[in-house]
Amino acid sequence: METTIVNGDTFINESALHNYKCSDRGLLLPIVSEYTWSEEVRATLYFIGLLYCFLGVSIIADIFMGSIEKITSKTKKVYLTQSGKDEPDEIEVRLWSDAVANLTLMALGSSAPEILLSCIEVVGNNFNAGELGPGTIVGSAAFNLLVISAICICSIPNGEIRRIKDVKVFAITSVFSLVAYLWLLLILVAISPNVVEVWEALVTLLFFPLLVLLAWLAEKNICGVPSKTETSKQMELGNFEPGEVDKLVKDRQYFRDGHLDRDGLVRFIKEVKKYPGLTDEDAAVLAASKLVESQSHSRMWYRVGAVRSMTGGRKTQPQLSMKLKESVAQESERIRLKMKEAFGIPENNNKELLPTEDAVEALGLRQLVSIISVLPAPLAKDVEIKAKKDILKRKQIATIADKLERVYNVMNEHPDAPTLGSIPPVKPFENAIIDFHAASCAVMEDIGKFKVEINRSGRTDNVARVRVESIEGTATEGQDYIEVNEIITFDRGEVSKTVEVEIINDNQWEPDEEFYLRLSMLHEKEEREGVQLGRINIMEIVILNDDEPGVLQFPRRGVLVKESIGTAYIPVQRKNGADGEVSVKWRTIDRTAINKKDFIGGEGVLTFKHTEVELNIEIPIIDDMSAEKDEHFEVELFDPEGGATLGPMNRTAVTITNDDDFDTLLSKMMNLTNANVHALQVHHETYVSQIKDALNVNGGDIENATPMDYVMHFLTFGWKILFSLVPPPGFLGGWLCFFVSLAVIGVLTAIIGDMASIFGCLVGLKDSVTAITFVALGTSLPDTFASKTAAVQEKHADNAIGNITGSNSVNVFLGLGLPWLIAAIYHQVNKTTFVVQSGNLGFSVGLFTGLSILCLGLIVFRRLSAFFGKAELGGPTCPKYLSGIFMVCLWITYIMLASLQSYGYF
């Protein structure tokens, strides 16, 4: 009886408060009596609690994997002798093999919830088998192999492929994943039906070290011919010749094997100098991003990144601010538009020599790699896509231009047709650049009115307007000259305009005087678009009383420039007259500085127009970013024309000084880059950093936090604070954190098992169905995001799908072998039998084994078939999506048939 009547009052029996629907399904739950709660409310609360606990177990698994990363990252120093060197080379070698680490600690890290759930269920059921643990392991394996593989195949960008590098390891883990489930069928159905004996459980567990041993042998190529593989990362740039692409990209790798060194950073700074709008801090973020990209990453690294993205935590990759993204995008676009040679067609482009599309793409690729080499992968991808469109467009233009040239030739040669001349040139898109022709000029006081030339370069297909106005110097407006204030309009196609200036002659002797003309942009926004001022936007006008052609010379005998100046401007003056147009030749003379190595020199002609008194020789300086002594070269004036003569200083020395602040800059960049990379490491060294990350959204990087980061940080704040009390991986080499976080995962997994079981009971689902659906999906969600990210960012497919088969094998060998061995030993000691009903579990295992054979067969066929691109992931669009749909259909088939069998439909 649930109630008792006393004196006419109805009371609920105390036993009834703890004996109601589904109250006996949990090991730890329910904590309080839910007798008075409605089933709908209880089911809703348990479902929400289940989702929340999935987030919690993901966060503590993040810390758990941080300890694993700390443990497996240990290295030892190895000294190698080398001929010609007194001191041996010192290198660091990791103590943990990649195959061993992936199949032991890392597999345990990603599969800990499933393995612990199975162990806790067996112990909680008095060492009797349950349905939730084994069902979760099989359901999770089905989701991992079928759904995650499908997502990875379809997520590869069009035209790109990913192949498995360590084929031997993948083959071994694939075979073992099939053997694992076939072995389960044997012990459940054939050898000892519905009973698991001690030796069967022991063999199941011993398969685990055997798998690790064989994978290690395959990785070390002890039992086979070593395979030649390229471990360095590269960016997939399309279907070019493999050798050429690898060479181009490899030459642009600044940080080999993920190590920050001086030479690599110097080469990186050289490329960053092409982006003048970037600060040192921005460059350090880009360097950190490229450094992280160049490092080899494990599946664990991607899983931690996926969890932190889901929960609003600190990201494992550098986050570029919106300002930096816009700056990089603008600079990349500017450089891309200037790459006329990269996307143009050679001058000998006639009918016979018209290049193929591959040749045009290869031509653009060489320039394209230079642009994207300093950009993070996502931004580089955007620039690459735009550049490829430019290449294709340029190819189409070249074809049209070839046809147009033939039409022009026919028309010009036809006697009755009008002569068209040559094809009008097409100029590249640029802003209209307006400036004076010269920086200064000198005029006679009695000249009256004269014209000053204003030039336009760059873009000429728009209307450009600027204002020109006079500014007083020693000459006074109204007394020595007439004020100038007018708007100059360049119509389409106009490249030169003049402005009239009038000098007032007062018939009185005066020393030379000067005033200035200044160009300025108009205030209206629409007038400023497509227009910019050039370097010479202020002009000096000297009023003098001299009509001689003048004397040409350098103002000083030496010029000092920094190596990082870019372009050196060497002034040449015209004195003692400025009448008429004169010219003088100039040439560079190598001294300790060498042409083409330290500067771009040669010969040229400098032309002074009437009244001009000073012009500059422009000489580009090459900055090699290396410390060296000061070097110099000379510039000489010779062969003047137009009546001018050479002055005594017709030769000047240009000294290139090594930047004093370069070492400081390099040291600063090193420190900033190291700080950015250190902030991205998976594990924490101290409690302070661990708690700080837990308290702040996005790990304290508020500037780059998204609205979703704030939402997820708010929802998971309690978990983060609670788990920040776990000892950080920096203590005791990571082992203390390993065991403490593993214990926390165990407690949380027990709660998840209780919630899943009670929720399934309330909504009418059996534990076996709840396990292969809700629990399997919840525990596999972080792996889904991790595999997708790895598939897109990695060069190979190993971290995306290569570890799935290994993880599925480990789940069986540890997740079932360990708890079954414990239970079998317990029952043998107590003279009882460990019963494991083969009904639903045997059907589920058999069904999954058959579907996994189909899935693995498709993966192997994709690698061999040109129809699928001869790769496990990616390939042609239609076959790629067909493969994904087929795999998802296999998973749906598994869920439907396993569920129907659970309810006795067959």
Side-chain angles (χ1 to χ4, degrees):
M1 294 292 292
E2 293 186 359
T3 60
T4 301
I5 300 176
V6 179
N7 297 327
D9 296 326
T10 302
F11 296 91
I12 300 175
N13 294 332
E14 184 177 357
S15 60
L17 293 176
H18 302 286
N19 186 19
Y20 47 91
K21 184 177 181 180
C22 305
S23 63
D24 58 343
R25 300 299 297 270
L27 179 65
L28 302 177
L29 300 180
I31 298 176
V32 297
S33 176
E34 301 168 4
Y35 178 80
T36 59
W37 301 5
S38 66
E39 293 184 8
E40 293 79 5
V41 172
R42 292 177 64 200
T44 302
L45 291 177
Y46 274 105
F47 179 71
I48 295 174
L50 191 63
L51 297 181
Y52 193 63
C53 286
F54 282 143
L55 287 176
V57 79
S58 298
I59 294 173
I60 187 60
D62 178 1
I63 300 175
F64 181 55
M65 289 189 172
S67 68
I68 295 174
E69 193 272 342
K70 179 70 174 180
I71 294 170
T72 57
S73 64
K74 288 183 172 63
T75 61
K76 64 178 179 180
K77 293 182 179 180
V78 177
Y79 297 93
L80 301 176
T81 59
Q82 188 170 349
S83 60
K85 288 187 177 181
D86 296 333
E87 296 293 332
D89 291 337
E90 177 183 310
I91 62 173
E92 289 190 358
V93 180
R94 292 183 61 176
L95 295 177
W96 283 76
S97 161
D98 288 339
V100 174
N102 285 335
L103 291 174
T104 54
L105 295 180
M106 292 184 184
L108 179 61
S110 61
S111 303
E114 295 97 319
I115 296 173
L116 291 177
L117 178 62
S118 182
C119 294
I120 292 171
E121 184 183 39
V122 167
V123 175
N125 287 340
N126 294 322
F127 297 96
N128 292 316
E131 294 183 343
L132 195 62
T136 300
I137 288 177
V138 180
S140 177
F143 184 86
N144 290 345
L145 181 61
L146 303 176
V147 178
I148 293 182
S149 296
I151 293 174
C152 290
I153 290 174
C154 297
S155 62
I156 304 300
N158 292 333
E160 296 183 12
I161 60 173
R162 304 288 188 272
R163 291 168 61 89
I164 290 177
K165 181 185 67 173
D166 292 327
V167 180
K168 294 179 181 179
V169 174
F170 178 73
I172 290 174
T173 55
S174 298
V175 170
F176 265 80
S177 67
L178 295 177
V179 169
Y181 289 97
L182 289 174
W183 171 250
L184 286 183
L185 279 179
L186 286 175
I187 63 177
L188 291 176
V189 178
I191 299 176
S192 56
N194 301 323
V195 175
V196 174
E197 299 178 357
V198 174
W199 73 270
E200 294 172 334
L202 180 61
V203 170
T204 304
L205 184 61
L206 290 178
F207 271 124
F208 173 66
L210 179 61
L211 169 63
V212 174
L213 176 62
L214 292 179
W216 178 77
L217 292 175
E219 182 191 39
K220 298 300 181 182
N221 293 294
I222 294 177
C223 300
V225 179
S227 57
K228 296 181 180 180
T229 56
E230 176 61 52
T231 58
S232 60
K233 286 199 161 201
Q234 76 172 45
M235 187 174 299
E236 300 287 346
L237 295 175
N239 297 322
F240 300 102
E241 291 296 325
E244 181 180 14
V245 174
D246 289 342
K247 182 178 184 301
L248 287 170
V249 179
K250 191 173 182 179
D251 290 341
R252 292 288 177 177
Q253 288 181 343
Y254 304 105
F255 310 113
R256 299 295 173 89
D257 301 324
H259 295 296
L260 180 63
D261 59 273
R262 178 187 175 91
D263 294 337
L265 188 59
V266 166
R267 286 185 284 113
F268 184 84
I269 294 175
K270 285 183 181 180
E271 292 294 335
V272 170
K273 288 293 184 181
K274 298 178 181 179
Y275 297 79
L278 301 183
T279 64
D280 292 342
E281 289 74 14
D282 295 337
V285 174
L286 291 176
S289 179
K290 298 302 292 185
L291 186 62
V292 171
E293 288 178 8
S294 65
Q295 295 172 341
S296 59
H297 300 300
S298 63
R299 181 180 176 84
M300 178 202 68
W301 186 84
Y302 286 104
R303 194 180 192 277
V304 171
V307 170
R308 293 184 181 180
S309 297
M310 290 168 51
T311 58
R314 176 171 54 90
K315 305 301 185 291
T316 55
Q317 289 182 303
Q319 299 297 295
L320 275 63
S321 64
M322 290 303 299
K323 181 181 178 182
L324 179 55
K325 288 181 180 178
E326 292 174 359
S327 176
V328 170
Q330 291 173 0
E331 292 294 336
S332 301
E333 186 74 2
R334 181 183 64 81
I335 295 175
R336 183 181 67 84
L337 292 174
K338 283 190 174 183
M339 281 171 38
K340 181 171 64 175
E341 294 182 359
F343 306 124
I345 304 300
E347 293 180 359
N348 59 354
N349 178 30
N350 51 36
K351 182 178 179 180
E352 291 75 23
L353 299 178
L354 184 66
T356 64
E357 182 173 341
D358 291 339
V360 178
E361 288 184 352
L363 176 66
L365 176 63
R366 292 185 179 89
Q367 301 293 331
L368 175 62
V369 172
S370 177
I371 291 180
I372 64 179
S373 60
V374 299
L375 302 182
L379 291 181
K381 195 67 182 176
D382 293 339
V383 177
E384 175 197 344
I385 292 173
K386 291 181 180 179
K388 283 185 176 179
K389 291 180 179 178
D390 285 347
I391 294 173
L392 182 58
K393 183 177 180 181
R394 215 31 105 163
K395 172 65 171 63
Q396 296 169 346
I397 291 174
T399 305
I400 296 172
D402 181 71
K403 296 178 180 179
L404 185 61
E405 183 177 1
R406 282 182 286 171
V407 172
Y408 266 67
N409 290 337
V410 171
M411 294 290 288
N412 290 331
E413 294 172 0
H414 198 284
D416 298 329
T419 301
L420 299 179
S422 59
I423 302 174
V426 179
K427 296 186 176 181
F429 174 83
E430 293 178 336
N431 286 336
I433 303 173
I434 313 296
D435 60 1
F436 292 109
H437 180 267
S440 65
C441 72
V443 297
M444 301 270 300
E445 190 179 36
D446 61 353
I447 192 174
K449 296 180 180 180
F450 69 98
K451 296 183 182 297
V452 174
E453 184 177 353
I454 302 175
N455 293 331
R456 168 185 182 171
S457 60
R459 182 178 177 182
T460 60
D461 61 348
N462 64 333
V463 177
R465 294 185 177 87
V466 295
R467 181 180 298 278
V468 58
E469 56 188 353
S470 57
I471 303 174
E472 286 188 352
T474 56
T476 306
E477 180 185 306
Q479 296 180 7
D480 299 304
Y481 67 93
I482 302 299
E483 177 189 12
V484 178
N485 189 352
E486 59 181 282
I487 295 176
I488 302 297
T489 301
F490 287 83
D491 291 326
R492 292 180 176 86
E494 283 191 312
V495 295
S496 179
K497 301 285 286 187
T498 58
V499 60
E500 189 175 80
V501 180
E502 183 177 356
I503 303 299
I504 300 175
N505 187 2
D506 57 4
N507 296 322
Q508 292 183 3
W509 179 90
E510 292 176 310
D512 292 348
E513 298 172 312
E514 80 278 352
F515 67 98
Y516 304 90
L517 294 181
R518 182 180 67 180
L519 295 175
S520 60
M521 303 286 289
L522 300 182
H523 296 296
E524 293 79 8
K525 182 178 180 181
E526 59 272 16
E527 298 288 353
R528 302 169 72 95
E529 293 180 354
V531 181
Q532 71 181 72
L533 298 180
R535 188 174 59 85
I536 309 176
N537 53 56
I538 295 181
M539 182 179 186
E540 178 191 48
I541 299 179
V542 180
I543 304 174
L544 48 80
N545 187 22
D546 195 340
D547 58 1
E548 292 293 329
V551 178
L552 304 177
Q553 65 176 18
F554 293 109
R556 59 188 68 88
R557 294 189 179 276
V559 178
L560 191 67
V561 298
K562 286 189 174 184
E563 191 178 31
S564 61
I565 193 173
T567 301
Y569 297 95
I570 315 300
V572 178
Q573 292 182 344
R574 180 185 188 184
K575 292 188 174 182
N576 301 329
D579 185 35
E581 181 175 304
V582 299
S583 64
V584 64
K585 296 180 181 179
W586 62 270
R587 63 189 168 210
T588 59
I589 302 173
D590 290 355
R591 297 303 184 193
T592 55
I594 307 302
N595 185 22
K596 307 298 185 182
K597 177 178 179 293
D598 302 300
F599 66 95
I600 306 298
E603 297 185 359
V605 178
L606 208 59
T607 301
F608 290 80
K609 294 185 179 296
H610 177 60
T611 73
E612 293 179 351
V613 295
E614 184 172 318
L615 292 176
N616 289 323
I617 300 173
E618 299 182 7
I619 301 178
I621 304 299
I622 299 175
D623 187 359
D624 56 11
M625 293 287 183
S626 60
E628 54 192 357
K629 295 180 179 180
D630 293 349
E631 302 166 324
H632 76 280
F633 64 95
E634 293 184 352
V635 183
E636 182 185 30
L637 300 178
F638 67 98
D639 197 7
E641 295 181 355
T645 60
L646 292 178
M649 287 189 289
N650 67 330
R651 183 179 291 190
T652 187
V654 180
T655 302
I656 305 173
T657 63
N658 185 49
D659 287 339
D660 294 334
D661 56 348
F662 174 70
D663 288 336
T664 303
L665 170 64
L666 188 62
S667 177
K668 178 183 178 183
M669 287 288 295
M670 278 281 223
N671 292 334
L672 288 174
T673 304
N674 278 323
N676 286 326
V677 173
H678 179 74
L680 298 172
Q681 64 182 7
V682 172
H683 64 272
H684 295 279
E685 295 290 342
T686 64
Y687 264 118
V688 174
S689 62
Q690 185 165 281
I691 295 175
K692 179 182 177 182
D693 272 6
L695 290 173
N696 295 285
V697 63
N698 203 22
D701 187 11
I702 299 177
E703 180 183 2
N704 298 316
T706 64
M708 183 56 66
D709 286 335
Y710 280 98
V711 173
M712 296 308 299
H713 179 68
F714 173 77
L715 292 177
T716 59
F717 185 75
W719 288 126
K720 290 179 179 180
I721 293 297
L722 179 62
F723 297 148
S724 67
L725 301 178
V726 173
F731 292 0
L732 300 179
W735 288 105
L736 180 61
C737 177
F738 178 86
F739 289 109
V740 173
S741 55
L742 186 63
V744 175
I745 292 175
V747 174
L748 198 54
T749 301
I751 296 175
I752 289 176
D754 287 356
M755 285 188 170
S757 183
I758 295 174
F759 170 75
C761 175
L762 291 172
V763 298
L765 291 177
K766 289 189 175 182
D767 281 350
S768 58
V769 178
T770 305
I772 64 174
T773 52
F774 293 101
V775 182
L777 265 65
T779 55
S780 300
L781 197 59
D783 289 313
T784 305
F785 291 108
S787 294
K788 179 181 180 298
T789 304
V792 175
Q793 295 186 5
E794 286 280 315
K795 176 184 177 181
H796 302 288
D798 298 66
N799 278 332
I801 64 170
N803 288 327
I804 290 177
T805 52
S807 178
N808 288 349
S809 303
V810 172
N811 282 356
V812 173
F813 299 148
L814 287 182
L816 294 181
L818 181 61
W820 283 2
L821 178 61
I822 295 173
I825 293 175
Y826 173 85
H827 283 281
Q828 188 176 34
V829 170
N830 289 276
K831 308 298 182 181
T832 55
T833 303
F834 178 45
V835 178
V836 180
Q837 294 296 331
S838 62
N840 177 256
L841 179 59
F843 179 84
S844 180
V845 170
L847 177 62
F848 170 67
T849 303
L851 296 178
S852 63
I853 292 175
L854 292 177
C855 180
L856 291 173
L858 175 60
I859 291 176
V860 173
F861 185 69
R862 283 181 55 86
R863 184 182 180 89
L864 302 176
S865 173
F867 177 74
F868 293 103
K870 290 189 174 182
E872 289 82 359
L873 305 183
T877 304
C878 184
K880 174 176 69 175
Y881 288 110
L882 287 176
S883 301
I885 293 172
F886 176 74
M887 290 183 178
V888 173
C889 290
L890 292 181
W891 179 73
I892 295 175
T893 301
Y894 166 77
I895 294 296
M896 292 181 61
L897 294 180
S899 301
L900 291 174
Q901 197 277 338
S902 296
Y903 288 98
Y905 286 96
F906 53 85

